[in-house]
Amino acid sequence: MSTTGEKQTPVPLLEPMVEPQDIGELKEGLGAPLLRVLQARVGQPTLVRMADGTIHTVFDGSGWGRDLGDKWEHLTAFLGPDHQAEFAFFYMSDVECLIDPDSRVVLISQTPAPGES
């Protein structure tokens, strides 16, 4: 509060920077660090713990995209070692962490922002 009686302007919260994309472009969003870990592990199982507590065992992290105006990527991931298996679709904003299922080591974690896209 000002001691001179002047009204102070509140400082706006900083929005995370994401490079805008145009139609036909695909640029990384806020989930890029998670996606890079999944892509490096293609073919290896990775546990994906969601903000709601759900855990998916993912084998492929290459089917991602980011819609125009969105800050976060979405992912279509296979839940089995072959591409005939079931798959899950989710936004990276809903991911809490990625875990190696053998060692139970957390590979990367974030504070999820459920519902953001």
Side-chain angles (χ1 to χ4, degrees), residues 67-100:
D67 296 332
L68 289 176
D70 286 356
K71 296 177 189 164
W72 292 89
E73 294 86 349
H74 51 78
L75 179 71
T76 302
F78 287 99
L79 303 178
D82 59 7
H83 289 146
Q84 307 287 329
E86 291 184 54
F87 63 91
F89 175 87
F90 51 87
Y91 281 89
M92 300 311 289
S93 59
D94 294 328
V95 174
E96 183 178 297
C97 65
L98 304 179
I99 303 166
D100 181 294

Side-chain angles (χ1 to χ4, degrees), residues 3-113:
T3 57
T4 63
E6 295 176 22
K7 184 177 178 184
Q8 292 189 357
T9 305
V11 177
L13 295 175
L14 296 176
E15 287 285 321
M17 296 299 295
V18 174
E19 189 175 351
Q21 59 187 18
D22 290 323
I23 295 173
E25 291 184 314
L26 185 56
K27 297 181 180 176
E28 291 183 338
L30 297 178
L34 295 164
L35 286 169
R36 283 193 287 274
V37 170
L38 284 174
Q39 290 167 346
R41 293 177 58 81
V42 167
Q44 299 175 62
T46 304
L47 301 178
V48 179
R49 185 168 50 212
M50 308 301 288
D52 68 1
T54 304
I55 297 177
H56 299 290
T57 302
V58 170
F59 287 80
D60 185 0
S62 60
W64 67 276
R66 184 166 67 96
D67 296 332
L68 289 176
D70 286 356
K71 296 177 189 164
W72 292 89
E73 294 86 349
H74 51 78
L75 179 71
T76 302
F78 287 99
L79 303 178
D82 59 7
H83 289 146
Q84 307 287 329
E86 291 184 54
F87 63 91
F89 175 87
F90 51 87
Y91 281 89
M92 300 311 289
S93 59
D94 294 328
V95 174
E96 183 178 297
C97 65
L98 304 179
I99 303 166
D100 181 294
D102 296 325
S103 67
R104 298 293 185 188
V105 169
V106 173
L107 304 168
I108 187 170
S109 64
Q110 69 174 7
T111 302

